Amino acid sequence: MANILILGGTAWLGSTIARLALDAGHHVTCLARGEAGAFPEGAVAVVVDRDKPDAYRHVAAQKWDLAVELTRVPAHARGALEALSPRTRNWVFVSSCSVYADQSAPGQREDAPLLAPLQPGEAYASELYGEAKSGCEQLTTANRGGNALLVRPGLVGGPGDPTARSSYWPLRVADRREPVLAPYQDGGGYRQHVQLVDVRDLAAFLLHAGLAGRTGPVNAVGASVPLTDALIAAREAANTNPLIVPYPLSAMADDGVSPWSGPRSLPLVLPSGDDYAGFARRSDARALDMGLVRRPLVETFRDIISAEEPWAGRQLSSGLSGEGEAELIARRRPAPGAEAPHESIDGP
Ligand SMILES: NC(=O)c1ccc[n+]([C@@H]2O[C@H](COP(=O)([O-])OP(=O)(O)OC[C@H]3O[C@@H](n4cnc5c(N)ncnc54)[C@H](OP(=O)(O)O)[C@@H]3O)[C@@H](O)[C@H]2O)c1
């Protein structure tokens, strides 16, 4: 049984890690304010605001087999490292593939150049997320002398996804109302891919690799599949075969539809232009070598459908509402007979 400290643990990934560790019989402590969500049952809750001085005094005297750090704030990362690192055997920093300076080249490995690191004295802002994670990585590596695992997920998905990026399509196609507006790629440009890692597989990987003392950066990413295959997996998970209205990605800008996430978006669709051609196609070789085990995408989607409230036309954190979808379908005004079965989503 290991003594594990989670710096976080009240939000989606952190609580998934905590529950998995508790189920495996480990002793788990979570340090957070308790604002993002409840502390996991069975974990020791240390209620602390990390912006306050002496935030780690309740946990600094103990020895830890593993610390899992989830922050995106360099000052938090530095404070925790200074207070806790000497008594902590293994350290995992949950970073992000957003640290990479270039998202355009497919197949990039962990040694690709990173964004300039945000320093602890500089204010964090969400548009500096990649720089902030890069700064946290740099501080971690410097403090630990390289004895830390820097886990870089790409897109994380699964039941409970607060962003709904992974849940929109399976919930949408599980809904019986037809037709479904489904994107297809027209024009030139790179071929859209999806590289989604299930939150439970990510949690299991980082616990396993962290406790085993693995170190260095690792792209903890899903298998890269074409967008079309991801949409077909959603249909398979829902066990439906709806009529669709094919929707060309080139129409999004004029229709005010965003890529990727947020309301009135097409989740999982990346922005056009070649800047994102490598975003969902990063090398997963090191993660697989370190023992990342990934369930099939269709299984993730199936579990989302079982666990979550039906779509029923409501606006999720990402995707279209029933009303928004109907409006776009009306705009497309497909000629009778133009609606095609789902298999045709790769093109008209
Ligand atoms: N979702 C994705 O697709 C994706 C992709 C790549 C990487 N990631 C990374 O994966 C991780 C996701 O973690 P998560 O789901 O657990 O959510 P999160 O929101 O990143 O977790 C942040 C944790 O820190 C705590 N926290 C924030 N401010 C604090 C403060 N001032 N004092 C004390 N605690 C504070 C929060 O709890 P309280 O608010 O309760 O204090 C929460 O438990 C993050 O590191 C994220 O960057 C996610």
Side-chain angles (χ1 to χ4, degrees):
M1 185 177 95
N3 196 26
I4 299 176
L5 175 64
I6 299 177
L7 296 159
T10 52
W12 187 42
L13 174 60
S15 60
T16 304
I17 297 166
R19 280 195 302 272
L20 209 63
L22 288 163
D23 288 350
H26 299 303
H27 187 270
V28 177
T29 300
C30 297
L31 182 147
R33 295 165 302 184
E35 288 182 10
F39 285 89
E41 209 180 314
V44 175
V46 179
V47 185
V48 160
D49 184 345
R50 299 177 70 179
D51 288 332
K52 300 265 164 65
D54 219 7
Y56 307 98
R57 66 185 181 284
H58 298 298
V59 291
Q62 294 182 54
K63 281 192 172 169
W64 302 101
D65 297 303
L66 173 66
V68 178
E69 169 66 282
L70 291 137
T71 194
R72 57 197 69 190
V73 181
H76 291 177
R78 183 175 66 181
L81 286 159
E82 286 175 354
L84 308 172
S85 180
R87 300 173 76 81
T88 305
R89 184 166 352 128
N90 299 306
W91 196 279
V92 172
F93 173 61
V94 182
S95 186
S96 165
C97 283
S98 296
V99 293
Y100 291 115
D102 174 66
Q103 304 287 354
S104 69
Q108 287 201 68
R109 295 189 317 234
E110 288 81 357
D111 56 1
L114 304 187
L115 290 169
L118 191 76
Q119 300 303 319
E122 298 176 296
Y124 172 79
S126 55
E127 61 274 16
L128 294 173
Y129 174 71
E131 287 84 351
K133 284 286 191 186
S134 173
C136 294
E137 282 198 7
Q138 190 188 56
L139 291 162
T140 307
T141 301
N143 177 290
R144 302 278 303 171
N147 180 22
L149 183 65
L150 309 174
V151 175
R152 296 176 181 159
L155 173 64
V156 184
D161 179 356
T163 73
R165 289 176 300 199
S166 61
S167 39
Y168 173 74
W169 289 111
L171 294 178
R172 173 61 193 96
V173 295
D175 190 283
R176 294 279 162 182
R177 81 185 70 183
E178 292 185 350
V180 174
L181 190 84
Y184 74 89
Q185 208 166 352
D186 58 335
Y190 66 95
R191 188 158 187 225
Q192 292 262 343
H193 278 68
V194 172
Q195 194 168 33
L196 183 157
V197 68
D198 189 294
V199 66
R200 297 161 293 180
D201 297 337
L202 174 61
F205 169 70
L206 70 83
L207 275 174
H208 171 79
L211 286 169
R214 303 301 298 257
T215 59
V218 56
N219 294 337
V221 292
S224 179
V225 297
L227 174 65
T228 310
D229 292 10
L231 297 177
I232 288 171
R235 187 205 64 187
E236 275 175 33
N239 197 22
T240 56
N241 189 19
L243 292 176
I244 65 143
V245 172
Y247 183 76
L249 297 186
S250 61
M252 291 173 69
D254 282 350
D255 287 346
V257 177
S258 307
W260 193 240
S261 70
R264 198 175 169 81
S265 71
L266 294 178
L268 307 183
V269 169
L270 291 167
S272 60
D274 285 338
D275 287 359
Y276 288 89
F279 184 86
R281 301 186 67 186
R282 296 196 186 86
S283 168
D284 55 8
R286 181 149 205 257
L288 295 178
D289 183 55
M290 277 192 188
L292 173 64
V293 177
R294 303 178 294 207
R295 72 198 70 205
L297 191 53
V298 67
E299 203 177 307
T300 298
F301 285 161
R302 208 174 279 136
D303 291 348
I304 288 170
I305 294 166
S306 312
E308 303 207 2
E309 293 291 313
W311 176 65
R314 71 201 157 98
Q315 177 65 66
L316 305 176
S317 315
S318 296
L320 301 172
S321 64
E323 211 179 315
E325 184 191 53
E327 178 221 315
L328 291 171
I329 287 173
R331 272 194 212 198
R332 309 290 335 141
R333 288 186 195 286
E339 291 171 3
H342 208 98
E343 279 79 7
S344 71
I345 55 183
D346 203 19

